[in-house]
Amino acid sequence: ESNETDMLEQAITKMAALLRVGFGSAGAEIIAKNLSDMGELNPMIPGVRVNAIFGFCDIRDFTFATEGLQQDVMLFVNKIAEITHRHVVDSGGHPNKNIGDAFLLVWKLKSGKNTNSSGDLQRTLFDSSLKCMQKVIEDVRNVGNLGSFLKEKKSDISPPWASSLRNYNVNVGVGLHKGWAIEGAIGSKVKIDPSYLSPHVNITSRLEAATKRYRVPLLMSDAFFGGLSGSVQSKCRRCDKVSFKGCSDPMVIYHHDTFSLKKLEKRPNNYDNLLKITSWDNETDTENKGLIDDIISKLNSQNELVQREVFDALFNTYLDKDWKRCKIYCHLWIEHFPSDPVVNRMIEKLSAENFECPPSWPGFHVFMEK
């Protein structure tokens, strides 16, 4: 009888562990709320509004990898999932959904009488969630190309695909945002999933999608940026002011520099062209001599905080629609930090308008992509 009881206890423990893996730690709590006292599942229960940090992580060029790896694509995705989930849990977050090539991640914020209406900022959680996703980006990047992965798994890939996949560098894009969502179970008694429904979740996904446009691995909203500690904020730079589909107000989006600006001194292949399209005539040089000398002096400083002041001024001229002056800032910035993807993209965008702000430009860019 004792053995039977032990076996039953072990079986229940295993089932509970499997359910926790299937639903995730946060999902298990959500499903528990939908269970009656008799243990019967009731999906028709209202959700709960929560405040949280949302992260969206997407594997780059996943369609290409799927076509080449075929059935082994599961091994590939799960390797990325293991890296992502491990860092998220270690940082106090919860993996919520695995959507093929993407992962929805949640860090729940406290709320109550001693917090503001949008939830307790909990700066350490904001800092740790950003640090966590930077670790994910770095660890995935360290996977390199799929050559070593294929060799390790001894995958039976046709020679043409094997050659192409060895040139496939594994990378992810990440979006981070803070907002509210309705936490609850979606489905029926046949199939149910713990989920978070909110326009803020959609914004997080669109932030990740925008990383391709801005050529950076991670973008964060101004709502998320506001929760970071001052020391971390000092390493962040504004990328643009945008309005996403489904978002009522435009927002400033930020990029986090994980290294010193000196790392941006390598000249890209289009360096000469960047200098050419941002050059100016003698009259402009004379009219702006004081400004030019001041910018050069700050950029030549060994103090990175002073150099970042130049970037802030550059971005302000962009938002203030003074694109002629922004052109001067861009030229001098690129002379010192030519491989900066943020300013490179700004030059391409503004040069298409000949550095003249259109009268109809509302002060931000509108993204209609889902």
Side-chain angles (χ1 to χ4, degrees), residues 32-64:
K33 294 174 184 175
N34 288 71
L35 291 174
S36 66
D37 293 337
M38 301 299 293
E40 199 169 313
L41 184 65
N42 179 16
M44 303 306 291
I45 290 180
V48 178
R49 178 172 170 138
V50 298
N51 298 301
I53 296 167
F54 299 104
F56 201 83
C57 179
D58 181 77
I59 303 172
R60 291 279 192 261
D61 302 317
F62 184 70
T63 302
F64 176 79

Side-chain angles (χ1 to χ4, degrees), residues 215 264-280 326-352 355:
R215 301 165 199 159
L264 301 174
E265 293 178 351
K266 183 180 178 181
R267 295 184 178 183
N269 294 332
N270 64 338
Y271 176 68
D272 290 337
N273 185 54
L274 290 171
L275 291 181
K276 181 179 178 181
I277 61 180
T278 55
S279 60
W280 56 81
C326 185
K327 179 181 180 181
I328 296 173
Y329 275 98
C330 287
H331 181 93
L332 298 174
W333 182 267
I334 286 297
E335 280 189 335
H336 287 76
F337 308 112
S339 60
D340 181 6
V342 177
V343 176
N344 268 252
R345 187 191 179 278
M346 184 177 291
I347 290 173
E348 291 177 15
K349 187 75 178 177
L350 302 192
S351 63
F355 288 93

Side-chain angles (χ1 to χ4, degrees), residues 315-323 361:
F315 194 85
N316 288 337
T317 59
Y318 161 66
L319 288 185
D320 292 341
K321 305 181 182 182
D322 190 357
W323 291 4
W361 190 60

Side-chain angles (χ1 to χ4, degrees), residues 284-308:
T284 301
D285 191 74
T286 303
E287 291 175 353
N288 296 275
K289 188 177 186 309
L291 172 67
I292 294 169
D293 290 344
D294 181 58
I295 295 172
I296 292 174
S297 174
K298 289 180 177 178
L299 288 175
N300 286 335
S301 167
Q302 297 302 309
N303 187 333
E304 187 168 302
L305 290 177
V306 174
Q307 294 171 331
R308 287 177 177 273

